Amino acid sequence: MRNIFKKKTNETEEIKEEFIIGNYDFSFDREKSTIEINGNEIIDLTIKSDENIFDELCEKEDFEFGFGIYSPEFYAREINLGKKGQIVINEENQNDYETAVYFMEHNDLNINLSLHPNWILIVGWTKISGKEYPISIKMKR
């Protein structure tokens, strides 16, 4: 029997890098970001978004984060992802890990963080100024 629910993928289809909060892709600043990973243990993962993209977004009247001074950054430090290379961080365990989105303040996360041979994937939710936003970070290692 054929699985009709399985997503059809094109072998040449590639994951697109992104740093999205809400409806906005802030892109990356690779020079200012830090990726220190040893196997499935994150030593320091600091992903800084592109300040130029943030400045361009701030020029738009409908940009809801235009009051921000700095572009957002995601960080996770000293996290062992175990044999599967992934972890769920949510309200129940977020105080056990040093992770957040810094965007005007340190914002809690409800995410699935996973390491793959060539990719770092972070998908879930964050709260900014009391409002919940989807967050998606896909970055090549």
Side-chain angles (χ1 to χ4, degrees):
M1 174 178 254
R2 197 177 99 197
N3 184 350
I4 61 172
F5 296 105
K6 185 176 179 183
K7 181 181 175 190
K8 293 179 183 179
T9 58
N10 181 346
E11 289 183 24
T12 61
E13 183 180 333
E14 187 174 327
I15 298 172
K16 177 184 171 274
E17 285 192 302
E18 63 188 22
F19 186 146
I20 295 176
I21 298 175
N23 296 320
Y24 307 100
D25 189 346
F26 295 94
S27 194
F28 302 105
D29 186 334
R30 288 194 175 275
E31 290 181 15
K32 293 183 180 177
S33 296
T34 303
I35 301 174
E36 287 183 54
I37 297 171
N38 183 8
N40 283 339
E41 184 175 348
I42 294 172
I43 310 302
D44 183 2
L45 179 59
T46 303
I47 302 174
K48 296 189 179 249
S49 62
D50 187 316
E51 289 182 32
N52 294 322
I53 300 291
F54 179 70
D55 290 343
E56 288 174 19
L57 289 168
C58 284
E59 291 176 11
K60 297 180 180 181
E61 287 184 29
D62 63 341
F63 181 54
E64 65 186 297
F65 303 120
F67 58 90
I69 298 172
Y70 302 107
S71 60
E73 110 182 22
F74 168 87
Y75 66 87
R77 297 180 186 101
E78 306 292 328
I79 299 176
N80 189 328
L81 302 180
K83 292 178 184 177
K84 292 185 177 182
Q86 70 178 25
I87 190 168
V88 173
I89 298 174
N90 56 33
E91 296 85 13
E92 294 177 13
N93 66 0
Q94 66 189 350
N95 292 329
D96 298 336
Y97 302 100
E98 186 179 350
T99 184
V101 168
Y102 184 75
F103 195 27
M104 291 145 313
E105 62 186 0
H106 297 272
N107 299 284
D108 290 337
L109 296 162
N110 184 359
I111 58 166
N112 184 334
L113 169 63
S114 58
L115 300 177
H116 301 269
N118 298 315
W119 288 91
I120 299 164
L121 302 176
I122 302 149
V123 178
W125 299 88
T126 186
K127 283 189 178 178
I128 299 171
S129 300
K131 185 176 175 185
E132 197 168 57
Y133 294 92
I135 184 168
S136 176
I137 300 173
K138 298 174 184 173
M139 185 178 202
K140 290 181 182 177
R141 288 177 82 165

